[in-house]
Amino acid sequence: MKKLEYAFYIGAEPKEVWDVLFDPKLSIRAFMGGVIRSSLKVGDSIEFVGPGKDGDEIVFIYGQLLEYVPHKVLSYTDHPGPTHHVRHAELESRVTLTLDKVGKCTRLHLINDQWTDNHPLYESADQYWWMILSHIKTIVETGKFLDFGY
């Protein structure tokens, strides 16, 4: 089974890392223009939304919230938004992000697994996770944003 897995150590408390995920002023930069929209109740929907090329709001990713423990765990099913792939409803994976305190640092551990067979976005997901996670680390530790040219 295909699986993407990453671990980053960030010089901050778990709450500070969590804030970058959920504070729209920070997450919009970390997620390259998107923010999380969800009731944060397990079983409800979760979306990563932001402006499209023409400025209208689009859904980059959508799914169902599987687990949510503030400052600790975020897990959801992941479908590419309708503008990213015509077969978006058929294409799915699972994303699980955990934060653990390690000394005076936070270990951010992300697993993206349970990919549907022949998922066409698997290869590009690896590149984007590295960028997103690097961005989260930079924002938390320095308050600055990386410029990937997007």
Side-chain angles (χ1 to χ4, degrees):
M1 178 182 291
K2 291 183 177 183
K3 173 170 88 169
L4 300 172
E5 185 169 10
Y6 313 88
F8 276 65
Y9 291 85
I10 302 171
E13 293 291 319
K15 182 190 179 315
E16 294 172 81
V17 178
W18 196 259
D19 287 347
V20 172
L21 302 174
F22 288 97
D23 179 342
K25 287 179 250 156
L26 300 172
S27 66
I28 197 164
R29 299 298 297 270
F31 295 122
M32 295 184 239
V35 296
I36 295 174
R37 183 166 59 197
S38 176
S39 70
L40 302 178
K41 293 180 180 153
V42 172
D44 283 358
S45 67
I46 185 168
E47 298 176 323
F48 291 79
V49 299
K53 290 180 183 175
D54 60 3
D56 292 339
E57 182 180 272
I58 63 169
V59 176
F60 297 118
I61 294 168
Y62 69 95
Q64 180 182 33
L65 192 63
L66 302 172
E67 186 175 2
Y68 176 80
V69 179
H71 311 140
K72 184 78 177 153
V73 180
L74 174 66
S75 183
Y76 57 91
T77 59
D78 182 308
H79 295 270
T83 59
H84 291 313
H85 203 282
V86 68
R87 294 183 11 242
H88 61 91
E90 302 168 26
L91 303 173
E92 182 177 281
S93 67
R94 177 182 65 178
V95 174
T96 303
L97 183 143
T98 57
L99 301 178
D100 294 299
K101 192 165 173 68
V102 178
K104 294 184 179 182
C105 297
T106 297
R107 178 179 185 254
L108 184 160
H109 183 219
L110 187 137
I111 298 174
N112 190 182
D113 62 358
Q114 297 185 2
W115 292 83
T116 52
D117 290 337
N118 301 314
H119 196 306
L121 302 177
Y122 175 79
E123 296 300 326
S124 62
D126 185 46
Q127 172 192 346
Y128 286 109
W129 279 129
W130 280 111
M131 293 168 77
I132 290 167
L133 297 172
S134 295
H135 211 162
I136 290 169
K137 179 176 173 57
T138 299
I139 292 167
V140 172
E141 291 181 343
T142 71
K144 296 181 180 176
F145 303 104
L146 299 175
D147 182 355
F148 292 117
Y150 294 111

